[in-house]
Amino acid sequence: MSAETLDHAIRRAADALRSARRVAVLTGAGVSAESGVPTFRASDGLWEGHRIEDVASPDGFRRDPKLVWHFYNGRRANVASVQPNPGHSALAALESRFASNFTLVTQNVDGLHQAAGNRNVLEVHGSLRRTRCTECGAVRDRGLEALAEMPTCALCAGLLRPDIVWFGEMLPARIWEEAVAAVEACDVFLVVGTSAVVQPAAGLIHLARHRADWIGEGEGATVVEVNLTPTVASHAAHIGLYGPSGQTLPRVVDLLRND
Ligand code: OAD
């Protein structure tokens, strides 16, 4: 896409936001890439050299909890060493503008949106900062402190696991319901830095675009995709901003600020 076309798309995205009452956002790993957090599908479906089913499934954890904790302790250490980037800050600025009419749904577990200042964040895939006991179910916020190689529960001594949604597991029901409600109510839906291949999160894009057909009233939202490249969901987007989100999102927000 030429620079001129990107300029035009940025203006159209700012125009859509200018007339919006409610905004919802779906983010994925790409929004954190410029902070130095690796994305998932950059190389052959491997996650930092591991097969997804080994480190991100209940079966993988049952087979080799030590390997899984080694992987997640590495991710926790990585996130402890990075900062939000201008893309995160732009989304925080958008929340300031739209206040309670802004909802950020994230597939990310790194907490960088909250660190940038977003408050209305729905973490549909859980958080790297929390542990959950496999015995008693107790959930604890551990921040990004270093954990034992195989951490155990302070209450019952059961083995802890990351409080993250793995393949084959359900999303947290209440958070997911809030995400669907926000997407059904928004006028503009930003889809930032996700390959849009993991369900049900990716289904929010189609819900935003086609909800008029699904619920038989109102109109679909204006869908803006922000990514390095088009994705399998691009056909559902009205506007595509193809470039690093840490560069394109601040330009959209600057146009809004200059109103
Ligand atoms: P992916 O790794 O699948 O996709 C990252 C997307 O970000 C790709 O489409 C890239 O083109 C894009 N991207 C990379 N750098 C970017 C940048 N600087 N600016 C904008 N876009 C950029 O990550 P997700 O879509 O988040 O689930 O993956 C979804 C889920 O798959 C994750 O939440 C994770 C994984 O299974 C769980 O851990 C439960």
Side-chain angles (χ1 to χ4, degrees):
M1 182 169 278
S2 71
E4 194 178 5
T5 312
L6 178 60
D7 284 349
H8 188 236
I10 285 173
R11 274 200 302 279
R12 288 209 297 141
D15 287 345
L17 285 165
R18 204 172 279 118
S19 47
R21 280 199 53 239
R22 290 175 200 276
V23 174
V25 184
L26 172 68
T27 64
V31 76
S32 295
E34 288 156 85
S35 293
V37 181
T39 60
F40 294 101
R41 292 178 179 77
S43 59
D44 304 332
L46 294 179
W47 285 11
E48 297 164 34
H50 298 288
R51 293 191 310 156
I52 292 180
E53 54 272 33
D54 286 341
V55 293
S57 74
D59 279 350
F61 188 66
R62 265 191 296 274
R63 268 197 308 274
D64 193 346
K66 201 167 173 183
L67 171 77
V68 173
W69 265 116
H70 180 74
F71 175 74
Y72 282 97
N73 279 334
R75 289 186 69 191
R76 285 166 56 86
N78 166 245
V79 169
S81 71
V82 304
Q83 300 294 328
N85 68 59
H88 294 109
S89 303
L91 293 174
L94 274 187
E95 181 166 342
S96 300
R97 180 179 176 111
F98 288 95
S100 60
N101 291 322
F102 180 96
T103 305
L104 196 160
V105 181
T106 188
Q107 300 167 88
N108 298 346
V109 294
D110 57 30
L112 289 176
H113 288 303
Q114 294 91 330
N118 280 110
R119 290 290 157 258
N120 196 5
V121 180
L122 299 174
E123 293 177 315
V124 291
H125 288 171
S127 171
L128 263 184
R129 293 162 197 257
R130 292 192 304 266
T131 57
R132 188 165 84 234
C133 180
T134 58
E135 298 291 333
C136 72
V139 173
R140 274 188 64 199
D141 190 333
R142 312 296 296 260
L144 293 170
E145 69 183 91
L147 297 177
E149 215 178 27
M150 291 254 276
T152 51
C153 179
L155 301 174
C156 76
L159 178 62
L160 298 178
R161 58 164 280 178
D163 191 27
I164 283 179
V165 178
W166 283 332
F167 285 94
E169 296 185 317
M170 302 290 286
L171 272 54
R174 189 188 52 78
I175 290 175
W176 178 247
E177 281 163 20
E178 283 183 41
V180 167
V183 171
E184 284 179 346
C186 73
D187 314 300
V188 172
F189 188 47
L190 300 180
V191 182
V192 186
T194 179
S195 57
V197 296
V198 172
Q199 298 295 350
L204 293 175
I205 303 165
H206 301 278
L207 175 61
R209 170 83 200 224
H210 300 296
R211 65 178 183 232
D213 305 337
W214 290 18
I215 59 180
E217 59 186 44
E219 290 179 4
T222 300
V223 177
V224 182
E225 179 171 66
V226 183
N227 201 303
L228 291 182
T229 56
T231 69
V232 292
S234 298
H235 64 90
H238 299 88
I239 303 171
L241 306 185
Y242 297 115
S245 51
Q247 294 177 25
T248 55
L249 286 176
R251 289 184 60 195
V252 173
V253 168
D254 279 350
L255 285 181
L256 285 177
R257 279 210 186 95
N258 295 336
D259 281 355

